[in-house]
Amino acid sequence: VLDADGTVLEANPAALALFGSVAIGASGGTLLGRDSGLESLAGTVFTLENERDYRVDVAALPAGSPACQVILEDVTDELSEGRRATRYAALVVAAEESQRQRVARELHDEPLQLFLHLARRLENLGGSKGVPEHVSVGLDEARQQALEAATRLRNLARNLRPPVLDQLGLVAALRSFLADIEEETHLVTSFRVRGTPERVAPDVELGAFRIVQEAVRNTVRHAKAQQVSVSVIFQANQFALVVADDGEGFVRDEKAELGSGHLGLAGMAERANLLGGAVTVEAAPGRGTVVSAILPAGEAPPACAS
Ligand SMILES: Nc1ncnc2c1ncn2[C@@H]1O[C@H](COP(=O)(O)OP(=O)(O)OP(=O)(O)O)[C@@H](O)[C@H]1O
Ligand SMILES: [Mg+2]
């Protein structure tokens, strides 16, 4: 029990067992390793010398008493469950990224090269002496199709892991991604950068790119929109991403999403959370969808010397 100034008035046996000894008249904050007022202690979590975590709750005593009772709740298990879940989510995200990188490399090295090789052979065949006109036209069409397949594979590989993201950063990667979307769909895209574009930590750039990628893909797949706009707003130590479409919007049902394996929106939130940021989705039927994210910039990679 502490008085209004935070001075210890009384300590029960559990408190004595926890702290070893409690000096009546000492400051309650100091006991917890912090010299702060009672109000700012409430709700905070401390790790004590026994390496367990305690959440502080401050309760008023019956009317008329200026003192309050400070309750320490052992929340170690609750927190370690949360830490385990966060660690697990980070591992899943890392595994997914390395899988995408491997698939992108394999698409690039094998099927893409095969299609390019096929296109060259068809070109040579079509140009051979004595090939009738109608066969040569057919061979040229087949060559065009092989080149088209190669282009699609290249785009697929690029979206799985855009090399431009590592080389030139988020802004360039988003520009190139939106150019691909315009080419592949009927959507009109617009891209705006506010503030001074800066390179941010590589994992933050990748997370930001994935969030925009998923939001824009959702627009393509679900929104029946005409336009999608993407903005990146650089501020001191953090930046914001906004993806807005003029589609039909929706009513969010998180239970149904998880139950039916729709993981895009949940994945966006998880990624932002792992990076210390947050995502919000504003959507209403008939009024389009706006996905916003705020992410801390993290430590930028050192500038390239060459
Ligand atoms: N921009 C949007 N416009 C309209 N509906 C949307 C939009 N974004 C999401 N939705 C709705 O929310 C649902 C959940 O989206 P979410 O991205 O989580 O899953 P999904 O796109 O269906 O599957 P995936 O796991 O492949 O992403 C979608 O099925 C769709 O009904
Ligand atoms: Mg989706």
Side-chain angles (χ1 to χ4, degrees):
V1 175
L2 308 186
D3 72 9
D5 300 329
T7 306
V8 178
L9 297 177
E10 228 183 287
N12 70 2
L16 290 173
L18 194 59
F19 292 106
S21 67
V22 178
I24 305 302
S27 147
T30 314
L31 269 182
L32 295 167
R34 218 182 273 185
D35 205 7
S36 45
L38 270 186
E39 304 76 39
S40 63
L41 289 179
T44 49
V45 174
F46 291 85
T47 306
L48 294 186
E49 269 173 22
N50 61 5
E51 295 193 346
R52 295 193 69 83
D53 303 311
Y54 294 86
R55 185 180 294 128
V56 180
D57 190 16
V58 181
L61 285 175
S65 167
C68 2
Q69 187 171 25
V70 176
I71 300 153
L72 297 179
E73 183 191 0
D74 187 335
V75 291
T76 315
D77 294 341
E78 186 187 312
L79 287 188
S80 51
E81 193 50 49
R83 284 189 205 116
R84 253 199 305 277
T86 306
R87 245 194 326 264
Y88 181 70
L91 285 176
V92 170
V93 166
E96 189 193 2
E97 285 300 340
S98 86
Q99 184 82 334
R100 282 172 185 237
Q101 207 162 4
R102 191 178 63 76
V103 175
R105 208 168 35 235
E106 284 183 10
L107 281 180
H108 180 271
D109 291 349
E110 290 198 16
L112 176 60
Q113 303 310 320
L114 279 175
F115 276 116
L116 292 175
H117 183 64
L118 178 64
R120 267 195 304 276
R121 288 203 60 189
L122 290 167
E123 188 174 1
N124 290 342
L125 280 174
S128 310
K129 271 195 189 140
V131 175
E133 174 73 17
H134 70 282
V135 175
S136 143
V137 168
L139 286 172
D140 193 52
E141 277 169 15
R143 182 184 72 90
Q144 301 281 3
Q145 281 171 352
L147 287 178
E148 173 64 29
T151 303
R152 289 200 192 174
L153 278 180
R154 198 179 282 118
N155 288 350
L156 198 62
R158 206 162 52 204
N159 282 329
L160 278 169
R161 179 64 201 230
V164 69
L165 184 63
D166 299 320
Q167 291 153 9
L168 300 175
L170 181 64
V171 168
L174 289 178
R175 239 186 255 292
S176 144
F177 168 63
L178 291 177
D180 286 348
I181 290 288
E182 283 224 335
E183 204 179 292
E184 289 162 15
T185 70
H186 299 298
L187 272 178
V188 175
T189 69
S190 66
F191 185 51
R192 251 183 13 153
V193 178
R194 279 202 266 151
T196 314
E198 275 165 20
R199 290 300 299 266
V200 295
D203 57 334
V204 181
E205 284 196 329
L206 183 57
F209 181 82
R210 294 292 183 220
I211 289 169
V212 174
Q213 191 179 34
E214 174 58 22
V216 172
R217 287 216 175 120
N218 276 348
T219 296
V220 173
R221 288 171 56 199
H222 310 296
K224 300 199 180 82
Q226 312 281 319
Q227 300 188 23
V228 63
S229 72
V230 176
S231 309
V232 187
I233 303 138
F234 289 92
Q235 299 155 339
N237 304 323
Q238 66 171 25
F239 62 102
L241 303 161
V242 183
V243 179
D245 70 43
D246 61 352
E248 57 188 21
F250 66 107
V251 177
R252 189 144 186 215
D253 181 350
E254 294 190 34
K255 264 200 206 134
E257 277 167 29
L258 290 175
S260 55
H262 298 278
L263 293 175
L265 294 174
M268 273 190 226
E270 191 68 65
R271 277 200 102 117
N273 193 22
L274 284 173
L275 296 169
V279 168
T280 49
V281 180
E282 291 162 63
R287 282 199 275 135
T289 300
V290 182
V291 175
S292 320
I294 298 267
L295 297 175
E299 290 249 319
C304 238
S306 60

